[in-house]
Amino acid sequence: MASGESMPLVTDRVTQLPHTYALRYVIVAHRSPGASSNTIRNVCQGIALGLSFLEERQIDLMVRLSTGDFLSREELAAFANRCLERSDGTGAVVSHYAQSRFTDFTNYILWRFEAVVHRANPEVVRFLKADRVDFTKRVKAQRPKGRSGAAEKDRRGLCPAQRELLLEVIKPDSPKNPFHPKLRRRNYALVLTHYRLGLRSGELRGLYRTDYKNAVEPAQLYVHIRDNNPEDKRKRPARGKTRARMLEVGGDLKEALDVWVDHRADRVEFPLSRKSRFLFVNEDGDEISERAALDIFERIRDVYPELAGFASHVLRHDMNDRYVEEAEKQGWDPAQAREDQIYLNGWDEDSKQPELYSHAAIAKRSNRRILNLQKKSVKE
């Protein structure tokens, strides 16, 4: 759009034009209330998956809704299983993502149904509404439960051995470093920023060079929310989320960023960097793409199987694990520690994320205490 705003769309498989009803639904139910572009993208993916499911089974949604049939229990169960599958067929997605897919499409169905009720003969409206109640019950019963159970919550950050390995292999001068020499300093600074500060991927890719201020002591990194940034020309623009913040930078992270900033300014190595405002750039100096950032983590996983599942979001969880462990070790006031954790992560003040992101550390602490209690009981 002229304003710089970009919005994901569901397109018709045949015409490649925007799907009319999906577009209306996204605008009315998500864009107008202020949903982020990432949220809208996820909604579109869920709707697209559902429409593909209907097409494969030759289900005419409007015919079903007009008769109050919706989708059967068996069809919902089949769609729930589809939501659990990765798009490339290589395995299963995490349960909360499958649940989002399922919910986004069934909410879209219910939205389409409202138009049917509005146009229906008054004599049949009450029957249609009763059918809707039955459908919502079937939806609730068939919602994906996931395939990994409660243990999924515990698989968050890195274990100590993985942390040690990661911090060794990303050092630019390490013989274990798997990257091309030209990109080692960039990749070291990028991964270490994720590790030390727990930034979201979109936040890190959206950083400007001027957001890092190393002329002050301690150095400062400003994390801004620049959604719909007209200067971001990437196919998948960087997206911030929730709240901006300033984070102080020191130690090995400051050293890594200082070295990278100097290297980034090399016009021979990165000829286009002079024109880019972004802190992290690709091989020629343009702002780094989402795909290029993902490739960094994929390369590490490929070379070091010990880091299977390694990703930027794992490092966000890991930072919070270490934060909670340090808070307990130092005896910080719990309420103050939680308030600081919310600030550092850019969450809302009433966010429930601290409990989610700290689950692994909490589980570790709880098990340590119950184990000590068992040992105490044996001595008695």
Side-chain angles (χ1 to χ4, degrees):
M1 300 182 185
S3 64
E5 179 184 359
S6 60
M7 189 178 80
L9 300 170
V10 178
T11 57
D12 185 278
R13 187 180 61 83
V14 177
T15 67
Q16 294 301 302
L17 295 173
H19 189 284
T20 304
Y21 291 105
L23 177 60
R24 290 179 184 174
Y25 170 71
V26 167
I27 291 176
V28 171
H30 295 279
R31 181 176 177 272
S32 293
S36 70
S37 181
N38 281 341
T39 297
I40 293 175
R41 180 181 297 110
N42 290 336
V43 170
C44 288
Q45 289 172 346
I47 294 173
L49 185 66
L51 293 175
S52 175
F53 176 82
L54 297 183
E55 183 178 358
E56 291 172 6
R57 291 177 172 250
Q58 298 182 330
I59 296 173
D60 187 318
L61 182 60
M62 288 310 296
V63 170
R64 291 287 190 92
L65 297 182
S66 298
T67 58
D69 289 336
F70 290 91
L71 297 181
S72 69
R73 187 179 302 275
E74 292 73 23
E75 288 165 340
L76 284 171
F79 180 58
N81 287 331
R82 175 68 60 82
C83 289
L84 283 162
E85 299 172 358
R86 291 177 61 90
S87 58
D88 58 7
T90 59
V93 301
V94 294
S95 61
H96 69 82
Y97 182 50
Q99 290 163 0
S100 294
R101 286 171 158 181
F102 185 85
T103 300
D104 287 333
F105 184 59
T106 52
N107 283 345
Y108 168 74
I109 291 176
L110 290 169
W111 178 80
R112 293 289 305 272
F113 182 69
E114 291 303 316
V116 173
V117 172
H118 181 71
R119 295 195 301 266
N121 188 303
E123 286 76 15
V124 302
V125 167
R126 66 186 182 93
F127 296 105
L128 289 174
K129 289 184 176 180
D131 291 332
R132 177 176 57 192
V133 172
D134 290 339
F135 176 66
T136 56
K137 290 179 180 178
R138 295 198 297 274
V139 166
K140 184 176 181 180
Q142 299 302 324
R143 191 166 181 254
K145 303 299 190 297
R147 295 172 178 167
S148 52
E152 181 180 299
K153 286 186 176 180
D154 296 323
R155 297 185 61 189
R156 295 303 186 186
L158 305 174
C159 70
Q162 289 176 316
R163 292 170 186 163
E164 183 179 355
L165 174 62
L166 173 66
L167 294 176
E168 171 59 30
V169 302
I170 61 175
K171 290 178 180 177
D173 58 352
S174 172
K176 298 180 179 180
N177 191 300
F179 300 109
H180 188 282
K182 174 181 176 179
L183 298 177
R184 288 184 177 184
R185 282 166 281 188
R186 181 202 70 181
N187 294 351
Y188 179 51
L190 186 149
V191 175
L192 198 63
T193 300
H194 278 302
Y195 180 81
R196 296 296 184 200
L197 302 181
L199 297 191
R200 303 175 178 94
S201 177
E203 291 174 337
L204 186 140
R205 291 188 299 110
L207 291 172
Y208 281 175
R209 163 63 188 89
T210 52
D211 290 336
Y212 176 55
K213 304 185 184 303
N214 57 353
V216 297
E217 183 61 38
Q220 300 171 342
L221 186 68
Y222 286 80
V223 182
H224 293 283
I225 308 300
R226 295 191 176 101
D227 286 356
N228 305 317
N229 181 2
E231 295 189 29
D232 194 338
K233 306 300 183 183
R234 287 171 283 201
K235 183 178 180 181
R236 297 285 295 270
R239 301 293 183 188
K241 189 175 181 181
T242 314
R243 302 180 74 180
R245 57 206 183 276
M246 185 279 288
L247 302 173
E248 295 186 345
V249 177
D252 59 352
L253 180 56
K254 180 181 185 304
E255 181 180 348
L257 287 172
D258 287 348
V259 169
W260 162 240
V261 167
D262 288 342
H263 189 209
R264 177 191 180 282
D266 189 326
R267 299 295 182 257
V268 176
E269 292 275 27
F270 303 100
L272 299 181
S273 63
R274 178 175 57 86
K275 299 180 180 180
S276 176
R277 296 190 64 181
F278 292 87
L279 177 59
F280 290 101
V281 296
N282 63 18
E283 291 88 340
D284 59 10
D286 264 338
E287 51 266 29
I288 190 170
S289 67
E290 182 181 51
R291 180 68 260 171
L294 291 172
D295 285 344
I296 296 172
F297 294 89
E298 289 184 5
R299 176 62 177 164
I300 293 174
R301 293 198 303 267
D302 290 344
V303 176
Y304 296 100
E306 304 95 318
L307 294 171
F310 174 63
S312 62
H313 211 64
V314 170
L315 294 184
R316 184 166 170 81
H317 281 284
D318 190 72
M319 186 278 287
N320 280 280
D321 287 346
R322 288 180 278 116
Y323 178 89
V324 173
E325 290 171 359
E326 184 68 13
E328 182 182 6
K329 180 180 177 181
Q330 299 295 334
W332 297 342
D333 175 70
Q336 186 65 58
R338 187 181 191 278
E339 182 180 337
D340 293 346
Q341 186 182 13
I342 286 175
Y343 173 82
L344 294 172
N345 284 277
W347 293 324
D348 284 328
E349 292 180 1
D350 58 351
S351 174
K352 303 299 183 184
Q353 294 299 320
E355 289 74 24
L356 173 63
Y357 275 79
S358 306
H359 184 85
I362 294 171
K364 181 179 178 181
R365 181 185 65 209
S366 300
N367 280 293
R368 184 172 65 248
R369 288 175 174 174
I370 194 64
L371 185 59
N372 289 336
L373 183 61
Q374 294 172 56
K375 291 177 180 179
K376 181 178 179 182
S377 299
V378 171
K379 291 179 181 180
E380 294 175 348

